[in-house]
Amino acid sequence: MIPPSATGKRSHRGRPVAATLHDVARLAGVSHSTVSRVLTGQGIPRPRTARAVERAVTELGYRVNPVARSLRTGTTHLIGVVVDDLQDPVLPMLVKATDVAARDMGYSILLSSVVDGRTGRLIDAESMVVQGVDGMILVCNEPTEPAWRLLLASSIPTVLISADDPDVRLAQVSPDNAEGSRLAARHLIELGHQRIAYIRGPKGSPYDQPRTAVFRVTCQEAGLPRTMTPELRGDGRPEGGLRAAKRLLASRADITAIACYNDRTAIGAIRALWLASLRVPEDVSVIGFDDIAEAAWTQPALTTITQRSDELGRVAVERLLRLLEAGPGDPAGLATAVRIPVSLQVRESTAPPS
Amino acid sequence: MIPPSATGKRSHRGRPVAATLHDVARLAGVSHSTVSRVLTGQGIPRPRTARAVERAVTELGYRVNPVARSLRTGTTHLIGVVVDDLQDPVLPMLVKATDVAARDMGYSILLSSVVDGRTGRLIDAESMVVQGVDGMILVCNEPTEPAWRLLLASSIPTVLISADDPDVRLAQVSPDNAEGSRLAARHLIELGHQRIAYIRGPKGSPYDQPRTAVFRVTCQEAGLPRTMTPELRGDGRPEGGLRAAKRLLASRADITAIACYNDRTAIGAIRALWLASLRVPEDVSVIGFDDIAEAAWTQPALTTITQRSDELGRVAVERLLRLLEAGPGDPAGLATAVRIPVSLQVRESTAPPS
DNA sequence: ATGAAAGCGCTAACAA
DNA sequence: TTGTTAGCGCTTTCAT
């Protein structure tokens, strides 16, 4: 797998020196362009030639130098993935999914995880990355506006995961937030809950609006008055869920169910309930969103909305590659948003009100 | 931040064309080698020249083409990070830490997360990555043997995080597993526990041996006989912790404390206890290892050993860069293992036996 | 202090 | 079908 340095050549520092096209050409008795053609599959070489080249290649353990190729072709086969919160288990899974998909298509992932969407620290990422990268995928929880504005201006092909906003003129891939919120609301309503609190995500975060809005509408359509469906602000993390739930318990002891922006919020809410010696789901039902791995391991296990992270990542990469082929100017469905189906995962944290 | 294409030049497909050294040179009225010198800081240019160059650079929004530079210098400033289990919250944090540190030093992270240590699928990663990368960092839970054997053979500078094995002749950085296990054992013993079970990690995983061994020895030194400190096999995931704890409860109802290979195992164990209607810590104490973010949010919150992921990542990158400077052959502390201090984090899941 | 020129390893247009 | 040649954008001798 590793060029065994069959020539025995070594640099002065002792590291084996990689064979080049020239070495292969010489050994095979052809010109270097012939080798290049055989390797890239351009033109049809004589079987003899092809064999000679291949033998030389394996003998020398030759591998193309991707840097030289990139310089020549102007394409690096690198995808910049920018992620802003690796603490949220959703994002690592998304990153992994993009990596798997990208690798399948012959691309690699250049990672940038030091972004602070709020202050536009994305510039760091950008300055490191933009030039060498064929395209970008953003996987962000924070408000992504500064990020995508930059990318939009740079005209570098970009796909947004974790964005669900028709006003943004960039390709987007997101879970079907609307359907998820609908499923969550209906689930609680069908169980018989009438007084349902909703703990929102961080203000301005990509999914806060769509998830909250549809949840609210679904409750209204079921005839639940707004006074019975209070909304609180969380921050997308357990801390925010804990605080919001505490506030809720202090003011509205009549609530029988809490729906959350995401699973991490729900985890915080469950802890607040636990600290208040309330039982889940007997006293209060809790439902999350995302179905992170941890959701199966809370006490009680969390009922939630499952999103297919692998699918999200795969579709994002596919769209990006299509963008790369199409070139700018060409629409290629540039600004359309793709939504990945979600489903309800019933576990232990929801039950009829007692 | 993005080259505004001040020249107005555009490729035929509409993407702005980046300015080159030549463009800058022409505009500044000097040769391109002078521009290069000014930019790389070689030689001392006349102030006038320097100013002229800098003006031209900003006017054109010039950025060096990293690919061309790499081809010339033979160094990509890319670090390949190979990670095998993004489901374990420890690893994303470690990846982030390497990214932050690397970026500080002018390097970027090429990620590979599709490795299956068991079957040696690392080859995928390797074949994609090895050529373009200056060095590699492995962040793996699975047995890393096939991986590091490959890297060792390839003579590419490599640092192993999540390896703690003096027999491996590669630079290693790990948490101080021995000290962590000692702290955990002592904590339980000092609370008065006499019958302590230990749930191990996956067989052959890098930390299983060191953590288990020291835990065992510490118990022995405290005078606890082996029959009172049974060891069970987990898999490093909640599932394994759950299964092991169930087995334990079925066979040894006398146990008053469970120490775990890692927090995820502990999370599974806590669930087993919960399912058996045993209270933590009143009936059974539980202690983990790693201090992942989730540890603070279990019911009850998990007592555990805190490891500094950021520190681990930073030190790993530092060592790798030192290796890069040193070149192979030069020792530079090649095979020495660095251990990052850990500490005991007492939360709610441990208490004296009742 | 600066310029001219070579060349890193590769692909692709053009000739043969 | 194959070889010759140019050149991607940069760094780095070697002259000047």
Side-chain angles (χ1 to χ4, degrees), chain B residues 31 34 37 46 49 72:
Chain B
S31 80
T34 300
R37 270 188 225 106
R46 276 214 313 268
T49 323
R72 194 46 238 242

mmCIF file with all atom_site columns, all heavy atoms in Angstrom, chain B residues 31 34 37 46 49 72, chain C residues 1-5 7:
data_model
loop_
_atom_site.group_PDB
_atom_site.id
_atom_site.type_symbol
_atom_site.label_atom_id
_atom_site.label_alt_id
_atom_site.label_comp_id
_atom_site.label_asym_id
_atom_site.label_entity_id
_atom_site.label_seq_id
_atom_site.pdbx_PDB_ins_code
_atom_site.Cartn_x
_atom_site.Cartn_y
_atom_site.Cartn_z
_atom_site.occupancy
_atom_site.B_iso_or_equiv
_atom_site.pdbx_formal_charge
_atom_site.auth_seq_id
_atom_site.auth_comp_id
_atom_site.auth_asym_id
_atom_site.auth_atom_id
_atom_site.pdbx_PDB_model_num
ATOM 1   N N     . SER B 1 31 ? 9.943  42.299 -10.609 1.00 0.00 ? 31 SER B N     1
ATOM 2   C CA    . SER B 1 31 ? 9.871  40.941 -11.133 1.00 0.00 ? 31 SER B CA    1
ATOM 3   C C     . SER B 1 31 ? 9.121  40.036 -10.161 1.00 0.00 ? 31 SER B C     1
ATOM 4   O O     . SER B 1 31 ? 8.996  40.353 -8.976  1.00 0.00 ? 31 SER B O     1
ATOM 5   C CB    . SER B 1 31 ? 11.268 40.374 -11.352 1.00 0.00 ? 31 SER B CB    1
ATOM 6   O OG    . SER B 1 31 ? 11.789 39.928 -10.131 1.00 0.00 ? 31 SER B OG    1
ATOM 7   N N     . THR B 1 34 ? 10.890 39.027 -6.988  1.00 0.00 ? 34 THR B N     1
ATOM 8   C CA    . THR B 1 34 ? 10.910 40.024 -5.917  1.00 0.00 ? 34 THR B CA    1
ATOM 9   C C     . THR B 1 34 ? 9.630  39.945 -5.089  1.00 0.00 ? 34 THR B C     1
ATOM 10  O O     . THR B 1 34 ? 9.665  39.965 -3.857  1.00 0.00 ? 34 THR B O     1
ATOM 11  C CB    . THR B 1 34 ? 11.049 41.433 -6.520  1.00 0.00 ? 34 THR B CB    1
ATOM 12  O OG1   . THR B 1 34 ? 12.272 41.500 -7.251  1.00 0.00 ? 34 THR B OG1   1
ATOM 13  C CG2   . THR B 1 34 ? 11.043 42.469 -5.433  1.00 0.00 ? 34 THR B CG2   1
ATOM 14  N N     . ARG B 1 37 ? 9.809  37.086 -2.801  1.00 0.00 ? 37 ARG B N     1
ATOM 15  C CA    . ARG B 1 37 ? 10.685 37.334 -1.657  1.00 0.00 ? 37 ARG B CA    1
ATOM 16  C C     . ARG B 1 37 ? 10.003 38.185 -0.606  1.00 0.00 ? 37 ARG B C     1
ATOM 17  O O     . ARG B 1 37 ? 10.049 37.885 0.584   1.00 0.00 ? 37 ARG B O     1
ATOM 18  C CB    . ARG B 1 37 ? 11.952 38.039 -2.132  1.00 0.00 ? 37 ARG B CB    1
ATOM 19  C CG    . ARG B 1 37 ? 13.025 37.042 -2.493  1.00 0.00 ? 37 ARG B CG    1
ATOM 20  C CD    . ARG B 1 37 ? 14.331 37.736 -2.778  1.00 0.00 ? 37 ARG B CD    1
ATOM 21  N NE    . ARG B 1 37 ? 14.924 37.167 -3.985  1.00 0.00 ? 37 ARG B NE    1
ATOM 22  C CZ    . ARG B 1 37 ? 14.951 37.777 -5.146  1.00 0.00 ? 37 ARG B CZ    1
ATOM 23  N NH1   . ARG B 1 37 ? 14.443 38.980 -5.289  1.00 0.00 ? 37 ARG B NH1   1
ATOM 24  N NH2   . ARG B 1 37 ? 15.497 37.175 -6.174  1.00 0.00 ? 37 ARG B NH2   1
ATOM 25  N N     . ARG B 1 46 ? 14.140 46.912 -0.612  1.00 0.00 ? 46 ARG B N     1
ATOM 26  C CA    . ARG B 1 46 ? 14.088 48.352 -0.357  1.00 0.00 ? 46 ARG B CA    1
ATOM 27  C C     . ARG B 1 46 ? 12.676 48.711 0.075   1.00 0.00 ? 46 ARG B C     1
ATOM 28  O O     . ARG B 1 46 ? 11.695 48.171 -0.445  1.00 0.00 ? 46 ARG B O     1
ATOM 29  C CB    . ARG B 1 46 ? 14.407 49.111 -1.648  1.00 0.00 ? 46 ARG B CB    1
ATOM 30  C CG    . ARG B 1 46 ? 15.885 49.294 -1.930  1.00 0.00 ? 46 ARG B CG    1
ATOM 31  C CD    . ARG B 1 46 ? 16.157 50.624 -2.638  1.00 0.00 ? 46 ARG B CD    1
ATOM 32  N NE    . ARG B 1 46 ? 15.275 50.905 -3.740  1.00 0.00 ? 46 ARG B NE    1
ATOM 33  C CZ    . ARG B 1 46 ? 15.540 50.565 -5.015  1.00 0.00 ? 46 ARG B CZ    1
ATOM 34  N NH1   . ARG B 1 46 ? 16.634 49.913 -5.315  1.00 0.00 ? 46 ARG B NH1   1
ATOM 35  N NH2   . ARG B 1 46 ? 14.699 50.870 -5.957  1.00 0.00 ? 46 ARG B NH2   1
ATOM 36  N N     . THR B 1 49 ? 10.264 49.295 -2.675  1.00 0.00 ? 49 THR B N     1
ATOM 37  C CA    . THR B 1 49 ? 9.812  48.072 -3.335  1.00 0.00 ? 49 THR B CA    1
ATOM 38  C C     . THR B 1 49 ? 8.760  47.367 -2.494  1.00 0.00 ? 49 THR B C     1
ATOM 39  O O     . THR B 1 49 ? 7.700  46.974 -2.988  1.00 0.00 ? 49 THR B O     1
ATOM 40  C CB    . THR B 1 49 ? 11.004 47.117 -3.525  1.00 0.00 ? 49 THR B CB    1
ATOM 41  O OG1   . THR B 1 49 ? 12.163 47.878 -3.836  1.00 0.00 ? 49 THR B OG1   1
ATOM 42  C CG2   . THR B 1 49 ? 10.708 46.102 -4.575  1.00 0.00 ? 49 THR B CG2   1
ATOM 43  N N     . ARG B 1 72 ? 6.151  23.310 -5.150  1.00 0.00 ? 72 ARG B N     1
ATOM 44  C CA    . ARG B 1 72 ? 7.525  23.806 -5.140  1.00 0.00 ? 72 ARG B CA    1
ATOM 45  C C     . ARG B 1 72 ? 8.256  23.367 -3.861  1.00 0.00 ? 72 ARG B C     1
ATOM 46  O O     . ARG B 1 72 ? 9.375  22.895 -3.896  1.00 0.00 ? 72 ARG B O     1
ATOM 47  C CB    . ARG B 1 72 ? 7.455  25.326 -5.229  1.00 0.00 ? 72 ARG B CB    1
ATOM 48  C CG    . ARG B 1 72 ? 8.741  26.063 -5.553  1.00 0.00 ? 72 ARG B CG    1
ATOM 49  C CD    . ARG B 1 72 ? 9.475  25.425 -6.676  1.00 0.00 ? 72 ARG B CD    1
ATOM 50  N NE    . ARG B 1 72 ? 10.788 25.060 -6.204  1.00 0.00 ? 72 ARG B NE    1
ATOM 51  C CZ    . ARG B 1 72 ? 11.933 25.522 -6.680  1.00 0.00 ? 72 ARG B CZ    1
ATOM 52  N NH1   . ARG B 1 72 ? 11.919 26.316 -7.728  1.00 0.00 ? 72 ARG B NH1   1
ATOM 53  N NH2   . ARG B 1 72 ? 13.055 25.173 -6.153  1.00 0.00 ? 72 ARG B NH2   1
ATOM 54  P P     . DA  C 2 1  ? 19.926 44.523 0.835   1.00 0.00 ? 1  DA  C P     1
ATOM 55  O OP1   . DA  C 2 1  ? 19.616 45.414 1.914   1.00 0.00 ? 1  DA  C OP1   1
ATOM 56  O OP2   . DA  C 2 1  ? 19.931 43.062 1.055   1.00 0.00 ? 1  DA  C OP2   1
ATOM 57  O "O5'" . DA  C 2 1  ? 18.959 44.825 -0.397  1.00 0.00 ? 1  DA  C "O5'" 1
ATOM 58  C "C5'" . DA  C 2 1  ? 18.530 46.140 -0.662  1.00 0.00 ? 1  DA  C "C5'" 1
ATOM 59  C "C4'" . DA  C 2 1  ? 18.189 46.195 -2.115  1.00 0.00 ? 1  DA  C "C4'" 1
ATOM 60  O "O4'" . DA  C 2 1  ? 19.212 45.480 -2.863  1.00 0.00 ? 1  DA  C "O4'" 1
ATOM 61  C "C3'" . DA  C 2 1  ? 16.866 45.524 -2.487  1.00 0.00 ? 1  DA  C "C3'" 1
ATOM 62  O "O3'" . DA  C 2 1  ? 16.249 46.315 -3.501  1.00 0.00 ? 1  DA  C "O3'" 1
ATOM 63  C "C2'" . DA  C 2 1  ? 17.280 44.145 -3.012  1.00 0.00 ? 1  DA  C "C2'" 1
ATOM 64  C "C1'" . DA  C 2 1  ? 18.627 44.455 -3.648  1.00 0.00 ? 1  DA  C "C1'" 1
ATOM 65  N N9    . DA  C 2 1  ? 19.560 43.316 -3.605  1.00 0.00 ? 1  DA  C N9    1
ATOM 66  C C8    . DA  C 2 1  ? 19.926 42.586 -2.513  1.00 0.00 ? 1  DA  C C8    1
ATOM 67  N N7    . DA  C 2 1  ? 20.806 41.637 -2.781  1.00 0.00 ? 1  DA  C N7    1
ATOM 68  C C5    . DA  C 2 1  ? 21.021 41.759 -4.148  1.00 0.00 ? 1  DA  C C5    1
ATOM 69  C C6    . DA  C 2 1  ? 21.830 41.045 -5.050  1.00 0.00 ? 1  DA  C C6    1
ATOM 70  N N6    . DA  C 2 1  ? 22.629 40.026 -4.672  1.00 0.00 ? 1  DA  C N6    1
ATOM 71  N N1    . DA  C 2 1  ? 21.810 41.431 -6.347  1.00 0.00 ? 1  DA  C N1    1
ATOM 72  C C2    . DA  C 2 1  ? 21.017 42.450 -6.699  1.00 0.00 ? 1  DA  C C2    1
ATOM 73  N N3    . DA  C 2 1  ? 20.209 43.197 -5.946  1.00 0.00 ? 1  DA  C N3    1
ATOM 74  C C4    . DA  C 2 1  ? 20.259 42.788 -4.670  1.00 0.00 ? 1  DA  C C4    1
ATOM 75  P P     . DT  C 2 2  ? 14.836 45.981 -4.017  1.00 0.00 ? 2  DT  C P     1
ATOM 76  O OP1   . DT  C 2 2  ? 14.215 47.231 -4.497  1.00 0.00 ? 2  DT  C OP1   1
ATOM 77  O OP2   . DT  C 2 2  ? 14.188 45.159 -3.003  1.00 0.00 ? 2  DT  C OP2   1
ATOM 78  O "O5'" . DT  C 2 2  ? 15.152 45.083 -5.267  1.00 0.00 ? 2  DT  C "O5'" 1
ATOM 79  C "C5'" . DT  C 2 2  ? 15.408 45.716 -6.516  1.00 0.00 ? 2  DT  C "C5'" 1
ATOM 80  C "C4'" . DT  C 2 2  ? 15.862 44.680 -7.500  1.00 0.00 ? 2  DT  C "C4'" 1
ATOM 81  O "O4'" . DT  C 2 2  ? 16.763 43.749 -6.890  1.00 0.00 ? 2  DT  C "O4'" 1
ATOM 82  C "C3'" . DT  C 2 2  ? 14.752 43.807 -8.085  1.00 0.00 ? 2  DT  C "C3'" 1
ATOM 83  O "O3'" . DT  C 2 2  ? 14.419 44.355 -9.356  1.00 0.00 ? 2  DT  C "O3'" 1
ATOM 84  C "C2'" . DT  C 2 2  ? 15.360 42.409 -8.156  1.00 0.00 ? 2  DT  C "C2'" 1
ATOM 85  C "C1'" . DT  C 2 2  ? 16.813 42.649 -7.760  1.00 0.00 ? 2  DT  C "C1'" 1
ATOM 86  N N1    . DT  C 2 2  ? 17.516 41.533 -7.071  1.00 0.00 ? 2  DT  C N1    1
ATOM 87  C C2    . DT  C 2 2  ? 18.369 40.743 -7.786  1.00 0.00 ? 2  DT  C C2    1
ATOM 88  O O2    . DT  C 2 2  ? 18.584 40.887 -8.979  1.00 0.00 ? 2  DT  C O2    1
ATOM 89  N N3    . DT  C 2 2  ? 18.990 39.761 -7.062  1.00 0.00 ? 2  DT  C N3    1
ATOM 90  C C4    . DT  C 2 2  ? 18.824 39.503 -5.686  1.00 0.00 ? 2  DT  C C4    1
ATOM 91  O O4    . DT  C 2 2  ? 19.432 38.602 -5.142  1.00 0.00 ? 2  DT  C O4    1
ATOM 92  C C5    . DT  C 2 2  ? 17.912 40.372 -5.005  1.00 0.00 ? 2  DT  C C5    1
ATOM 93  C C7    . DT  C 2 2  ? 17.667 40.204 -3.538  1.00 0.00 ? 2  DT  C C7    1
ATOM 94  C C6    . DT  C 2 2  ? 17.295 41.350 -5.714  1.00 0.00 ? 2  DT  C C6    1
ATOM 95  P P     . DG  C 2 3  ? 13.243 43.731 -10.177 1.00 0.00 ? 3  DG  C P     1
ATOM 96  O OP1   . DG  C 2 3  ? 12.624 44.821 -10.972 1.00 0.00 ? 3  DG  C OP1   1
ATOM 97  O OP2   . DG  C 2 3  ? 12.418 42.918 -9.272  1.00 0.00 ? 3  DG  C OP2   1
ATOM 98  O "O5'" . DG  C 2 3  ? 14.024 42.767 -11.174 1.00 0.00 ? 3  DG  C "O5'" 1
ATOM 99  C "C5'" . DG  C 2 3  ? 15.100 43.310 -11.916 1.00 0.00 ? 3  DG  C "C5'" 1
ATOM 100 C "C4'" . DG  C 2 3  ? 15.730 42.238 -12.777 1.00 0.00 ? 3  DG  C "C4'" 1
ATOM 101 O "O4'" . DG  C 2 3  ? 16.509 41.349 -11.936 1.00 0.00 ? 3  DG  C "O4'" 1
ATOM 102 C "C3'" . DG  C 2 3  ? 14.732 41.346 -13.520 1.00 0.00 ? 3  DG  C "C3'" 1
ATOM 103 O "O3'" . DG  C 2 3  ? 15.249 41.092 -14.820 1.00 0.00 ? 3  DG  C "O3'" 1
ATOM 104 C "C2'" . DG  C 2 3  ? 14.697 40.080 -12.681 1.00 0.00 ? 3  DG  C "C2'" 1
ATOM 105 C "C1'" . DG  C 2 3  ? 16.118 40.003 -12.143 1.00 0.00 ? 3  DG  C "C1'" 1
ATOM 106 N N9    . DG  C 2 3  ? 16.242 39.321 -10.863 1.00 0.00 ? 3  DG  C N9    1
ATOM 107 C C8    . DG  C 2 3  ? 15.531 39.601 -9.727  1.00 0.00 ? 3  DG  C C8    1
ATOM 108 N N7    . DG  C 2 3  ? 15.867 38.847 -8.710  1.00 0.00 ? 3  DG  C N7    1
ATOM 109 C C5    . DG  C 2 3  ? 16.861 38.015 -9.216  1.00 0.00 ? 3  DG  C C5    1
ATOM 110 C C6    . DG  C 2 3  ? 17.595 36.987 -8.579  1.00 0.00 ? 3  DG  C C6    1
ATOM 111 O O6    . DG  C 2 3  ? 17.525 36.601 -7.419  1.00 0.00 ? 3  DG  C O6    1
ATOM 112 N N1    . DG  C 2 3  ? 18.502 36.385 -9.461  1.00 0.00 ? 3  DG  C N1    1
ATOM 113 C C2    . DG  C 2 3  ? 18.662 36.748 -10.771 1.00 0.00 ? 3  DG  C C2    1
ATOM 114 N N2    . DG  C 2 3  ? 19.580 36.057 -11.458 1.00 0.00 ? 3  DG  C N2    1
ATOM 115 N N3    . DG  C 2 3  ? 17.984 37.704 -11.378 1.00 0.00 ? 3  DG  C N3    1
ATOM 116 C C4    . DG  C 2 3  ? 17.100 38.301 -10.543 1.00 0.00 ? 3  DG  C C4    1
ATOM 117 P P     . DA  C 2 4  ? 14.370 40.385 -15.918 1.00 0.00 ? 4  DA  C P     1
ATOM 118 O OP1   . DA  C 2 4  ? 14.285 41.265 -17.099 1.00 0.00 ? 4  DA  C OP1   1
ATOM 119 O OP2   . DA  C 2 4  ? 13.131 39.906 -15.268 1.00 0.00 ? 4  DA  C OP2   1
ATOM 120 O "O5'" . DA  C 2 4  ? 15.240 39.107 -16.276 1.00 0.00 ? 4  DA  C "O5'" 1
ATOM 121 C "C5'" . DA  C 2 4  ? 16.658 39.131 -16.099 1.00 0.00 ? 4  DA  C "C5'" 1
ATOM 122 C "C4'" . DA  C 2 4  ? 17.214 37.730 -16.374 1.00 0.00 ? 4  DA  C "C4'" 1
ATOM 123 O "O4'" . DA  C 2 4  ? 17.364 37.019 -15.112 1.00 0.00 ? 4  DA  C "O4'" 1
ATOM 124 C "C3'" . DA  C 2 4  ? 16.315 36.849 -17.239 1.00 0.00 ? 4  DA  C "C3'" 1
ATOM 125 O "O3'" . DA  C 2 4  ? 17.134 35.994 -18.013 1.00 0.00 ? 4  DA  C "O3'" 1
ATOM 126 C "C2'" . DA  C 2 4  ? 15.484 36.084 -16.218 1.00 0.00 ? 4  DA  C "C2'" 1
ATOM 127 C "C1'" . DA  C 2 4  ? 16.508 35.887 -15.090 1.00 0.00 ? 4  DA  C "C1'" 1
ATOM 128 N N9    . DA  C 2 4  ? 15.911 35.851 -13.762 1.00 0.00 ? 4  DA  C N9    1
ATOM 129 C C8    . DA  C 2 4  ? 14.877 36.621 -13.287 1.00 0.00 ? 4  DA  C C8    1
ATOM 130 N N7    . DA  C 2 4  ? 14.571 36.391 -12.029 1.00 0.00 ? 4  DA  C N7    1
ATOM 131 C C5    . DA  C 2 4  ? 15.471 35.402 -11.650 1.00 0.00 ? 4  DA  C C5    1
ATOM 132 C C6    . DA  C 2 4  ? 15.667 34.726 -10.440 1.00 0.00 ? 4  DA  C C6    1
ATOM 133 N N6    . DA  C 2 4  ? 14.954 34.962 -9.342  1.00 0.00 ? 4  DA  C N6    1
ATOM 134 N N1    . DA  C 2 4  ? 16.641 33.792 -10.395 1.00 0.00 ? 4  DA  C N1    1
ATOM 135 C C2    . DA  C 2 4  ? 17.370 33.569 -11.494 1.00 0.00 ? 4  DA  C C2    1
ATOM 136 N N3    . DA  C 2 4  ? 17.282 34.140 -12.702 1.00 0.00 ? 4  DA  C N3    1
ATOM 137 C C4    . DA  C 2 4  ? 16.298 35.062 -12.701 1.00 0.00 ? 4  DA  C C4    1
ATOM 138 P P     . DA  C 2 5  ? 16.476 34.916 -19.020 1.00 0.00 ? 5  DA  C P     1
ATOM 139 O OP1   . DA  C 2 5  ? 17.423 34.751 -20.135 1.00 0.00 ? 5  DA  C OP1   1
ATOM 140 O OP2   . DA  C 2 5  ? 15.050 35.259 -19.267 1.00 0.00 ? 5  DA  C OP2   1
ATOM 141 O "O5'" . DA  C 2 5  ? 16.521 33.592 -18.120 1.00 0.00 ? 5  DA  C "O5'" 1
ATOM 142 C "C5'" . DA  C 2 5  ? 17.726 33.305 -17.385 1.00 0.00 ? 5  DA  C "C5'" 1
ATOM 143 C "C4'" . DA  C 2 5  ? 17.576 31.956 -16.709 1.00 0.00 ? 5  DA  C "C4'" 1
ATOM 144 O "O4'" . DA  C 2 5  ? 16.928 32.122 -15.425 1.00 0.00 ? 5  DA  C "O4'" 1
ATOM 145 C "C3'" . DA  C 2 5  ? 16.708 30.953 -17.480 1.00 0.00 ? 5  DA  C "C3'" 1
ATOM 146 O "O3'" . DA  C 2 5  ? 17.274 29.675 -17.312 1.00 0.00 ? 5  DA  C "O3'" 1
ATOM 147 C "C2'" . DA  C 2 5  ? 15.348 31.060 -16.783 1.00 0.00 ? 5  DA  C "C2'" 1
ATOM 148 C "C1'" . DA  C 2 5  ? 15.801 31.266 -15.348 1.00 0.00 ? 5  DA  C "C1'" 1
ATOM 149 N N9    . DA  C 2 5  ? 14.807 31.908 -14.495 1.00 0.00 ? 5  DA  C N9    1
ATOM 150 C C8    . DA  C 2 5  ? 13.816 32.794 -14.861 1.00 0.00 ? 5  DA  C C8    1
ATOM 151 N N7    . DA  C 2 5  ? 13.079 33.203 -13.862 1.00 0.00 ? 5  DA  C N7    1
ATOM 152 C C5    . DA  C 2 5  ? 13.624 32.550 -12.758 1.00 0.00 ? 5  DA  C C5    1
ATOM 153 C C6    . DA  C 2 5  ? 13.304 32.555 -11.400 1.00 0.00 ? 5  DA  C C6    1
ATOM 154 N N6    . DA  C 2 5  ? 12.299 33.283 -10.885 1.00 0.00 ? 5  DA  C N6    1
ATOM 155 N N1    . DA  C 2 5  ? 14.048 31.794 -10.572 1.00 0.00 ? 5  DA  C N1    1
ATOM 156 C C2    . DA  C 2 5  ? 15.050 31.074 -11.082 1.00 0.00 ? 5  DA  C C2    1
ATOM 157 N N3    . DA  C 2 5  ? 15.455 30.975 -12.358 1.00 0.00 ? 5  DA  C N3    1
ATOM 158 C C4    . DA  C 2 5  ? 14.692 31.748 -13.146 1.00 0.00 ? 5  DA  C C4    1
ATOM 159 P P     . DG  C 2 7  ? 16.520 22.743 -14.833 1.00 0.00 ? 7  DG  C P     1
ATOM 160 O OP1   . DG  C 2 7  ? 17.683 21.902 -14.470 1.00 0.00 ? 7  DG  C OP1   1
ATOM 161 O OP2   . DG  C 2 7  ? 15.970 22.765 -16.200 1.00 0.00 ? 7  DG  C OP2   1
ATOM 162 O "O5'" . DG  C 2 7  ? 15.324 22.403 -13.842 1.00 0.00 ? 7  DG  C "O5'" 1
ATOM 163 C "C5'" . DG  C 2 7  ? 15.496 22.594 -12.447 1.00 0.00 ? 7  DG  C "C5'" 1
ATOM 164 C "C4'" . DG  C 2 7  ? 14.153 22.411 -11.788 1.00 0.00 ? 7  DG  C "C4'" 1
ATOM 165 O "O4'" . DG  C 2 7  ? 13.383 23.624 -11.955 1.00 0.00 ? 7  DG  C "O4'" 1
ATOM 166 C "C3'" . DG  C 2 7  ? 13.297 21.292 -12.409 1.00 0.00 ? 7  DG  C "C3'" 1
ATOM 167 O "O3'" . DG  C 2 7  ? 12.689 20.585 -11.349 1.00 0.00 ? 7  DG  C "O3'" 1
ATOM 168 C "C2'" . DG  C 2 7  ? 12.252 22.042 -13.217 1.00 0.00 ? 7  DG  C "C2'" 1
ATOM 169 C "C1'" . DG  C 2 7  ? 12.073 23.254 -12.326 1.00 0.00 ? 7  DG  C "C1'" 1
ATOM 170 N N9    . DG  C 2 7  ? 11.408 24.388 -12.929 1.00 0.00 ? 7  DG  C N9    1
ATOM 171 C C8    . DG  C 2 7  ? 11.352 24.749 -14.250 1.00 0.00 ? 7  DG  C C8    1
ATOM 172 N N7    . DG  C 2 7  ? 10.653 25.839 -14.456 1.00 0.00 ? 7  DG  C N7    1
ATOM 173 C C5    . DG  C 2 7  ? 10.217 26.214 -13.190 1.00 0.00 ? 7  DG  C C5    1
ATOM 174 C C6    . DG  C 2 7  ? 9.407  27.301 -12.769 1.00 0.00 ? 7  DG  C C6    1
ATOM 175 O O6    . DG  C 2 7  ? 8.916  28.195 -13.454 1.00 0.00 ? 7  DG  C O6    1
ATOM 176 N N1    . DG  C 2 7  ? 9.206  27.295 -11.386 1.00 0.00 ? 7  DG  C N1    1
ATOM 177 C C2    . DG  C 2 7  ? 9.709  26.358 -10.530 1.00 0.00 ? 7  DG  C C2    1
ATOM 178 N N2    . DG  C 2 7  ? 9.408  26.495 -9.247  1.00 0.00 ? 7  DG  C N2    1
ATOM 179 N N3    . DG  C 2 7  ? 10.462 25.330 -10.904 1.00 0.00 ? 7  DG  C N3    1
ATOM 180 C C4    . DG  C 2 7  ? 10.669 25.325 -12.236 1.00 0.00 ? 7  DG  C C4    1
#
